[in-house]
Amino acid sequence: MERETEKPGFWQDKERGIWFSQQINRLKKEIEEFEELEVYFDLVKESGQEKDVIEFERMLRKKELEVFLSGRYDRGDAILSIFSGAGGEDAQDWATLLLRMYERYCIRKGFQVKVLHQSFGEGVGPDGRIGTKSATLEIKGRFAFGFLKRENGVHRLVRISPFSPKALRHTSFALVEVLPEISPLDEAGIKINPADIKIETFKASGPGGQYVNKRETAVRIIHLPTGIRVSCQSERSLFQNREKAMKILLAKLYQLKIKEKNKELEKIKGKPVSIGWGNQIRSYVFHPYHLVKDLRTGVETSDVERVLDGEIDPFIEAEIRKQSV
C-alpha cells in the first residue's frame, strides 16, 4: 500500500490519497500493538510479577477480540440509529435511555460520538429527560463498527411506567440499527445516481421546538428508487450536513444490498424464527425484579443501572466470541 502511494500521479486525487493514508495508518497501528504485546510478554517472563501478568492478560484479551473482528468494515467507524417502538411516551423515554447508554459506552471505549439527527418526542420523563422518536449517532474509532454491529435488533424494557398515574407495569420496545460508515472511495459496489436523489433542507430543531440554527442548514435526502430517507442536522453548514447525510444513505444502501443477498439464502435455508417483535436481542427488566438478559448468549446481570450507564462490554464480548466460534 505504501508503494502505491509512491507512484507518479497518486496524490493528484487528494481525497483518495487521504483515505488511502488512513487505511495505512490503521494497519500500522495494529502491527505496532502486536509488537508491543510481544515486548510486554518478554518483560512479564522476566519480572514474574502478578500485576504484570494481569495486565498482559488484559492486553491479550483486548487484542484477541479485535482479531475476531475480521469483517470488511469491522475496523472502521459506525452509524448507530435508535427508533422508538409503539408505546408513546414510555417508548420514547426508553429510546432516550438507550441513546445515553450508547453514548456512555462509546466514551468508555475512547470513541468519538456525535448526534447527527434527533427527532424529539412530546413528553418529558424522569430527571427531565426529553423523549426521542429517533436518533442517529456518528461513532468514530478503531473497530467501532466491529464492536457495535451485533447490537442490531429490538431492545425490550419492562418497568413501572413513570407516565402512568396508577403506577402500572409497562413494556416498551426500541429498535437499534448499526451500519458501517462507508467512504464513497471504498469499493462497496454502491453507486448513487444524482438523478435518483431528492434533497430537502429544513431548520435544525431541538426539544420544545427551539431552533438550534435559524437558517435552513439541516438536510434530508430521499433516495427515490428505494424510498430511503436520511437526515443530518448536527453541523452548522448545509454542505457538511449534506456530506454526512450522503454517508448515511450509502450505508443504508449497502445494508439493503446485504439484505437482498440474505433473501436469496433464505430461499435455500428457510427464514429464521423471530423472537418477539422483529429480532428481539435483549431484555432490560426493572419490575418485578432487576435483570438484563441477552437472549442470544444467555449473558445476564441484575445491575440494570450499571448497564444503562454504558457497561455493556460483557454482552458485546460474549456475542463476538459466540459468532467467531
Side-chain angles (χ1 to χ4, degrees):
M1 291 178 73
E2 286 179 330
R3 284 196 294 272
E4 184 72 19
T5 65
E6 295 167 2
K7 290 181 179 179
F10 176 85
W11 289 100
Q12 288 180 358
D13 187 341
K14 290 184 179 179
E15 191 176 355
R16 180 174 180 270
I18 292 170
W19 179 81
F20 214 79
S21 296
Q22 288 173 343
Q23 308 313 307
I24 291 173
N25 289 335
R26 281 180 174 175
L27 289 170
K28 279 186 172 181
K29 179 69 175 175
E30 287 186 48
I31 292 169
E32 287 172 5
E33 287 180 354
F34 274 110
E35 290 172 344
E36 288 171 4
L37 199 61
E38 189 175 13
V39 170
Y40 200 88
F41 178 64
D42 291 334
L43 292 174
V44 169
K45 285 195 294 183
E46 289 180 12
S47 73
Q49 296 292 317
E50 184 180 1
K51 62 179 180 64
D52 292 333
V53 174
I54 292 171
E55 175 61 15
F56 177 74
E57 287 179 343
R58 186 196 66 77
M59 293 168 64
L60 191 63
R61 184 180 177 85
K62 176 178 178 291
K63 183 53 62 179
E64 182 185 43
L65 277 174
E66 292 179 358
V67 169
F68 285 150
L69 302 176
S70 57
R72 180 170 186 169
Y73 297 106
D74 284 358
R75 289 173 172 79
D77 304 328
I79 299 166
L80 186 147
S81 298
I82 301 168
F83 306 91
S84 64
E89 292 178 322
D90 276 287
Q92 291 167 12
D93 187 53
W94 174 221
T96 299
L97 285 171
L98 283 175
L99 177 65
R100 187 179 68 180
M101 181 184 82
Y102 286 115
E103 285 179 318
R104 292 182 178 181
Y105 168 77
C106 290
I107 291 170
R108 291 176 189 275
K109 297 293 285 187
F111 298 152
Q112 295 178 13
V113 57
K114 176 186 281 188
V115 178
L116 295 182
H117 176 75
Q118 186 170 5
S119 174
F120 296 95
E122 297 83 14
V124 178
D127 304 320
R129 287 196 301 269
I130 304 297
T132 300
K133 292 180 180 177
S134 65
T136 300
L137 297 176
E138 177 186 61
I139 301 165
K140 291 190 171 294
R142 287 179 62 234
F143 295 99
F145 178 66
F147 279 110
L148 286 164
K149 67 180 182 181
R150 293 177 180 87
E151 290 297 288
N152 261 322
V154 175
H155 296 245
R156 170 177 170 261
L157 173 70
V158 181
R159 64 175 175 176
I160 298 296
S161 170
F163 303 97
S164 171
K166 297 181 180 179
L168 299 176
R169 189 171 68 176
H170 190 89
T171 300
S172 304
F173 296 96
L175 176 66
V176 174
E177 177 187 76
V178 186
L179 303 171
E181 185 171 292
I182 302 172
S183 166
L185 299 171
D186 193 356
E187 297 176 1
I190 306 295
K191 302 294 181 184
I192 300 176
N193 185 341
D196 288 342
I197 61 174
K198 179 182 178 182
I199 300 176
E200 299 175 344
T201 61
F202 58 97
K203 294 177 181 178
S205 61
Q210 297 175 339
Y211 290 122
V212 176
N213 192 335
K214 296 294 183 184
R215 295 179 296 118
E216 290 196 352
T217 57
V219 172
R220 180 186 299 110
I221 298 178
I222 304 167
H223 188 247
L224 301 176
T226 61
I228 293 173
R229 294 168 175 256
V230 297
S231 301
C232 182
Q233 63 179 38
S234 62
E235 307 297 334
R236 290 285 178 180
S237 149
L238 182 68
F239 173 79
Q240 289 176 312
N241 280 326
R242 175 177 171 169
E243 191 176 50
K244 288 186 182 293
M246 284 296 289
K247 283 186 177 182
I248 301 172
L249 177 59
L250 197 62
K252 283 186 174 287
L253 290 174
Y254 175 75
Q255 182 194 47
L256 189 62
K257 181 181 177 182
I258 297 300
K259 282 183 177 178
E260 287 172 355
K261 286 184 178 180
N262 289 339
K263 282 182 182 178
E264 292 300 315
L265 289 175
E266 283 176 8
K267 291 178 183 178
I268 302 170
K269 298 166 62 177
K271 290 185 178 180
V273 178
S274 62
I275 303 172
W277 174 51
N279 297 308
Q280 185 175 323
I281 65 166
R282 193 174 302 142
S283 290
Y284 307 71
V285 182
F286 275 98
H287 185 83
Y289 47 81
H290 281 62
L291 180 70
V292 180
K293 182 171 183 176
D294 195 286
L295 304 179
R296 303 161 300 174
T297 61
V299 173
E300 60 182 56
T301 176
S302 60
D303 198 341
V304 186
E305 294 287 356
R306 190 171 180 180
V307 171
L308 292 179
D309 198 40
E311 291 279 1
I312 57 176
D313 277 307
F315 301 104
I316 288 176
E317 290 184 15
E319 182 62 18
I320 290 173
R321 293 179 185 279
K322 176 191 170 188
Q323 294 295 326
S324 303
V325 172

